[in-house]
Amino acid sequence: MADLATVAKQFTDFYYNTFDSNRPALASLYRPESMMTWENNQILGVSSIVEKLVTLPFEKVLHKVETCDAQPSNPAVGSIIVLVTGLLRVDDGEQPLPFTQTFQLIPDAGTYYVYNDLFRLNLGG
């Protein structure tokens, strides 16, 4: 089995670089059964997830990952849970926004796809 921390870092590097530069290209990471929870809104399936991502109310975004933790999720299938914390800057804003995102990655033909994706801004209050 590949080192979980290495897989998690490679995945998150790819995910956030793609998110920041070409959100429609994230479609390849999801499947029809994939589910995303974005700030309390549940979204099911590739097309609905990508629609949500490309219609977010900002033009430019830059993610800075601060922590990335990984654990085996189901050893029988080799799935991985990845927890990311970081900061994101939107539309050249001066204040970066803290966020947390959790992915459940499922192996598929030598790579992984996102089965679950939970995103939350950590704005407090």
Side-chain angles (χ1 to χ4, degrees):
M1 178 196 283
D3 175 55
L4 295 180
T6 300
V7 171
K9 177 159 182 12
Q10 289 173 344
F11 170 79
T12 56
D13 286 350
F14 178 80
Y15 182 89
Y16 293 116
N17 287 333
T18 304
F19 190 109
D20 295 352
S21 62
N22 182 13
R23 284 180 256 170
L26 291 171
S28 67
L29 296 178
Y30 297 93
R31 300 291 182 271
E33 65 274 15
S34 297
M35 178 169 274
M36 170 185 278
T37 300
W38 184 278
E39 291 291 321
N40 229 18
N41 297 318
Q42 290 190 337
I43 306 151
L44 177 65
V46 179
S47 60
S48 296
I49 290 170
V50 171
E51 179 181 351
K52 174 65 176 176
L53 296 176
V54 300
T55 60
L56 290 169
F58 46 78
E59 294 293 318
K60 291 172 55 179
V61 63
L62 180 62
H63 289 82
K64 179 181 181 229
V65 172
E66 294 189 326
T67 67
C68 179
D69 299 309
Q71 293 183 355
S73 172
N74 182 338
V77 297
S79 58
I80 303 171
I81 294 283
V82 179
L83 174 64
V84 178
T85 63
L87 299 169
L88 62 95
R89 187 175 306 273
V90 295
D91 292 333
D92 297 321
E94 291 185 25
Q95 289 294 343
L97 304 169
F99 74 93
T100 301
Q101 193 160 11
T102 303
F103 301 97
Q104 182 174 27
L105 304 178
I106 306 295
D108 182 33
T111 187
Y112 290 86
Y113 73 90
V114 178
Y115 183 69
N116 297 101
D117 178 350
L118 297 100
F119 176 88
R120 179 74 66 169
L121 290 172
N122 303 324
L123 301 177

